[in-house]
Amino acid sequence: MNVIGNRLASDCVDWFVIVCDGLQKKAAEIVSSGPQSNGTNEAQDSLSQLLGPDNPGRLRAMGRNMNKTKLACFQVKSKCMAEMQQKQDQLQQKVNELQEVIDKIKNHVNTCLLIHKANQSVSTYI
């Protein structure tokens, strides 16, 4: 005989089956009633209708120590980080383009210096 706390394991299994059956029936009712919201009102979404409202100051499926304010801050932070990453990528691309231009100018200057030296050496012999 398996004992969990003060209850028999079979009592726990029976309780679990009853709860699951109740949730399945309620879920079927919610699904059959059709979509009631467009997903913007979290108090009326299907999950909240099935499991009840979130506890005050908490968000479902977000773990401990998460609330709406922290979630909003994380969303703003991730948006800012994405914008900064995009800006950094653009700046890196511009730096690469400028480096290519500098390399072309250096090559052109070197070519001009070689031509100038060649002209000087030819003119000294003439």
Side-chain angles (χ1 to χ4, degrees), residues 67-124:
N67 57 34
K68 291 179 185 180
T69 304
K70 286 182 183 179
L71 180 62
C73 289
F74 284 131
Q75 288 173 339
V76 168
K77 180 181 174 185
S78 64
K79 180 182 175 187
C80 290
M81 292 297 288
E83 289 173 356
M84 287 179 11
Q85 182 65 40
Q86 183 181 13
K87 185 70 171 178
Q88 184 180 7
D89 292 342
Q90 291 173 351
L91 291 173
Q92 185 64 45
Q93 183 180 3
K94 286 182 181 181
V95 166
N96 292 340
E97 290 172 1
L98 290 173
Q99 186 63 43
E100 289 175 7
V101 170
I102 289 171
D103 291 341
K104 287 179 183 179
I105 291 171
K106 283 182 180 178
N107 288 338
H108 182 71
V109 168
N110 287 338
T111 304
C112 289
L113 286 174
L114 288 174
I115 292 172
H116 181 70
K117 286 182 182 180
N119 286 341
Q120 281 184 345
S121 63
V122 169
S123 65
T124 57

Side-chain angles (χ1 to χ4, degrees), residues 2-87:
N2 292 331
V3 178
I4 301 173
N6 291 332
R7 298 181 179 200
L8 294 174
S10 62
D11 290 341
C12 292
V13 170
D14 292 339
W15 175 83
F16 183 74
V17 168
I18 292 169
V19 169
C20 287
D21 287 342
L23 286 175
Q24 285 178 340
K25 288 176 185 174
K26 191 171 180 182
E29 290 173 11
I30 292 171
V31 169
S32 66
S33 67
Q36 295 180 357
S37 69
N38 58 4
T40 57
N41 186 359
E42 59 195 45
Q44 294 300 322
D45 69 350
S46 298
L47 188 62
S48 294
Q49 290 178 11
L50 179 63
L51 300 177
D54 288 336
N55 291 329
R58 294 189 180 182
L59 291 177
R60 183 178 285 119
M62 296 300 289
R64 289 186 168 262
N65 299 322
M66 180 58 71
N67 57 34
K68 291 179 185 180
T69 304
K70 286 182 183 179
L71 180 62
C73 289
F74 284 131
Q75 288 173 339
V76 168
K77 180 181 174 185
S78 64
K79 180 182 175 187
C80 290
M81 292 297 288
E83 289 173 356
M84 287 179 11
Q85 182 65 40
Q86 183 181 13
K87 185 70 171 178

